[in-house]
Amino acid sequence: MKEIWKESRTACLGLVILIIISVGGLVYIGANSGRVFSEDLEPFITDRVVEVRIVMSGDDWEKCLLEALKEEYVRADFYFDGELVPDVAVRPKGNSSLNSVYRSGSIRLSFKVDFNFFNTARTFRGLKKLNFNNGFHDPTLIREHLSYEIFDLMGLPTPRTAFVDLWVNDTHMGLYTQVEQVDVNFLARHFSDSTGNLYKPEPPAGYLAWTEDDLKVEPSDEEIMAEINMGGAKLVDIMNALEEGEEAGENGEAENIRADSPVEMQDLIDRMGLRTNEAYPDHAALYEFLEILNNEPDDTFPLAIEKVLDVDQVLRFVAVAGTIGYFDSYLGFGHNYYLYEIDGRFTIIPWDLNGAFGSFSQNMDRESIINCYIDEPTIGPLDERPLIARLLAHEPYRETYHKYLRELIEGPFSPKRMSSRIEEVADLVRPYVYSDELKFYTNKDFERALYEDIPRDGPGGIQPQQE
């Protein structure tokens, strides 16, 4: 028995030593690489503010700052809460916000991080991309996070968000909102099928007030001539090259002159912004949806539209968007939303909510925003936005929409709940707001804007830091 015990003890000790060496090796590797060997970890931590560091060469950082409007990727290392993901791609991002921040001279840009740009097999905690938004319009820096939360609570497929304390090299960028990318990974998380067409529309196509027939515009003789191939290049390209040369001779530098499409209305389908299946685009389902939305007779409209649209979900979207003043969207400019199609049926996904709670007013005054009509929740003519106009014109849909409005203001958007959430989230971010030296507003602005309107001078509300 003693011999058996000795052999067993020796084997056990050997096993223990092997485990210690193995674990120690993993700890050593983890400590020295910054990696955590799990894709199962949560990428959106909402009970604290996570530190994120982006480390790139000095030349690439200077390129990001000086050439931000080009939105070109550079190589960097990415640290999330101490975890290292090496060799990611990073670029500035944004539309009006990027232009305004860049032209103001601020370095507080928004960023997109692509984890599989240089390695197509890699993800970060199940994500291919992440967005880091700078709170461009928002003195409180919490509007975007709260807005996505409300859409989620009302049952819409919604990007996840969290707060991070962002650094680029040795520059403390400050408090940012981390936002999930709407892509195939997002679709797989929300839908049974992630192989459908995903669109990110821009105006004028984004108003959805057009059909396939609008693409069938006969080109003029001049446009046909411009498309003729001349020695390996289109005549229109040769003409543009000559024009660019003339511009360079006159002004000292060439302007970027874009050739108009020979069929101008073809831009409509381009501006629908197909984000999946780009190699083999098939827009048949989109054309059928638009035809029904715009031309189906009233008496057959409900039966027809429900075959190509998740009507119930869109009614919830409109209820939330109008209530939170999300006018930089389909309700206003006809953009900042996604459409996703599965088997010919579309759903809508909210996006880019930094202008919510009336912070993007599109020249509306405070009273106009607050007193926006419930059944006309748009900036601009309602009939130019058929996705809302036609649905709300049908009384049963309008009643369902009113039901969601009541559900919203008695639940997720009730004064009691919102007051509590604003205080809770403000308490979470306050220390980081106060230590943020690059934010667009002062600490006093932050505190006041939690409970009252404040002046927001300049493009999008950028104003000098003054206490």
Side-chain angles (χ1 to χ4, degrees), residues 62-127:
E62 184 176 8
K63 177 181 178 180
C64 282
L65 296 177
L66 296 179
E67 303 177 10
L69 299 183
K70 293 183 179 180
E71 299 186 67
E72 294 180 350
Y73 280 112
V74 299
R75 189 183 296 268
D77 290 336
F78 178 82
Y79 293 84
F80 182 89
D81 207 21
E83 175 185 353
L84 167 64
V85 184
D87 293 327
V88 305
V90 179
R91 68 169 175 84
K93 65 173 286 288
N95 292 313
S96 60
S97 60
L98 176 58
N99 273 276
S100 293
V101 172
Y102 175 77
R103 298 186 192 288
S104 76
S106 172
I107 66 171
R108 188 185 169 90
L109 305 170
S110 293
F111 298 97
K112 187 180 293 289
V113 177
D114 189 326
F115 299 101
N116 70 346
F117 188 90
F118 298 115
N119 180 355
T120 56
R122 183 179 58 193
T123 62
F124 165 69
R125 300 189 178 187
L127 303 174

Side-chain angles (χ1 to χ4, degrees), residues 283-323:
H283 303 295
L286 175 67
Y287 296 147
E288 182 180 7
F289 161 62
L290 292 172
E291 179 65 28
I292 292 172
L293 180 65
N294 289 281
N295 293 329
E296 187 72 21
D298 291 343
D299 58 343
T300 57
F301 177 74
L303 182 62
I305 196 66
E306 289 186 17
K307 293 179 180 178
V308 296
L309 180 69
D310 188 336
V311 171
D312 188 77
Q313 190 227 40
V314 172
L315 294 174
R316 279 180 277 136
F317 174 91
V318 177
V320 176
T323 300

Side-chain angles (χ1 to χ4, degrees), residues 227-238:
E227 285 294 293
I228 294 175
N229 193 295
M230 300 284 290
K234 291 180 180 179
L235 179 58
V236 67
D237 295 330
I238 296 172

Side-chain angles (χ1 to χ4, degrees), residues 207-210 293-294 330-331 375-393:
Y207 293 120
L208 307 180
W210 60 282
L293 180 65
N294 289 281
Y330 182 79
L331 278 62
D375 291 343
E376 297 179 17
T378 61
I379 297 178
L382 179 65
D383 59 6
E384 292 180 2
R385 294 158 181 81
L387 190 61
I388 300 175
R390 295 219 65 187
L391 293 183
L392 297 189

Side-chain angles (χ1 to χ4, degrees), residues 123-409:
T123 62
F124 165 69
R125 300 189 178 187
L127 303 174
K128 292 182 179 181
K129 294 179 181 179
L130 272 177
N131 301 281
F132 295 94
N133 294 343
N134 60 7
F136 168 60
H137 288 293
D138 184 8
T140 71
L141 295 173
I142 67 175
R143 278 176 163 90
E144 186 171 25
H145 178 74
L146 291 174
S147 299
Y148 278 116
E149 180 179 271
I150 295 168
F151 273 108
D152 180 59
L153 290 172
M154 286 297 289
L156 281 96
T158 304
R160 292 171 288 180
T161 63
F163 294 105
V164 302
D165 192 32
L166 182 65
W167 293 73
V168 178
N169 295 347
D170 294 327
T171 301
H172 184 209
M173 304 299 291
L175 184 74
Y176 276 60
T177 303
Q178 173 186 303
V179 181
E180 182 178 11
Q181 182 71 27
V182 177
D183 57 12
V184 172
N185 292 50
F186 174 90
L187 299 175
R189 197 166 64 83
H190 286 279
F191 300 96
S192 59
D193 183 351
S194 60
T195 63
N197 280 355
L198 177 69
Y199 295 92
K200 185 178 183 293
E202 294 293 336
Y207 293 120
L208 307 180
W210 60 282
T211 68
E212 185 180 9
D213 287 340
D214 291 315
L215 304 180
K216 300 174 182 176
V217 179
E218 290 296 326
S220 66
D221 291 341
E222 291 80 6
E223 290 168 335
I224 293 173
M225 287 292 294
E227 285 294 293
I228 294 175
N229 193 295
M230 300 284 290
K234 291 180 180 179
L235 179 58
V236 67
D237 295 330
I238 296 172
M239 293 168 62
N240 277 341
L242 292 173
E243 290 180 16
E244 288 178 1
E246 292 175 1
E247 292 288 346
E250 293 174 5
N251 304 324
E253 59 180 11
E255 295 182 5
N256 183 18
I257 300 176
R258 178 184 178 278
D260 288 332
S261 168
V263 182
E264 184 177 351
M265 294 301 288
Q266 183 65 31
D267 285 346
L268 286 170
I269 195 62
D270 294 336
R271 294 190 70 79
M272 283 302 295
L274 183 64
R275 291 293 189 265
T276 57
N277 306 314
E278 299 100 315
Y280 304 99
D282 181 357
H283 303 295
L286 175 67
Y287 296 147
E288 182 180 7
F289 161 62
L290 292 172
E291 179 65 28
I292 292 172
L293 180 65
N294 289 281
N295 293 329
E296 187 72 21
D298 291 343
D299 58 343
T300 57
F301 177 74
L303 182 62
I305 196 66
E306 289 186 17
K307 293 179 180 178
V308 296
L309 180 69
D310 188 336
V311 171
D312 188 77
Q313 190 227 40
V314 172
L315 294 174
R316 279 180 277 136
F317 174 91
V318 177
V320 176
T323 300
I324 67 173
Y326 171 39
F327 295 115
D328 188 21
S329 66
Y330 182 79
L331 278 62
F333 271 151
H335 71 159
N336 283 339
Y337 69 96
Y338 284 87
L339 284 176
Y340 183 54
E341 172 260 325
I342 304 176
D343 296 330
R345 198 162 186 257
F346 284 84
T347 58
I348 193 167
I349 300 168
W351 182 247
D352 200 5
L353 301 181
N354 67 331
F357 291 98
S359 59
F360 186 89
S361 62
Q362 199 168 329
N363 298 319
M364 293 174 68
D365 59 26
R366 183 179 187 276
E367 294 304 314
S368 297
I369 294 172
I370 293 174
N371 296 317
C372 184
Y373 293 130
I374 289 174
D375 291 343
E376 297 179 17
T378 61
I379 297 178
L382 179 65
D383 59 6
E384 292 180 2
R385 294 158 181 81
L387 190 61
I388 300 175
R390 295 219 65 187
L391 293 183
L392 297 189
H394 182 57
E395 186 174 353
Y397 291 160
R398 190 167 62 252
E399 290 177 355
T400 299
Y401 163 68
H402 291 167
K403 181 192 75 172
Y404 286 131
L405 285 173
R406 287 192 297 271
E407 181 180 320
L408 178 63
I409 61 177

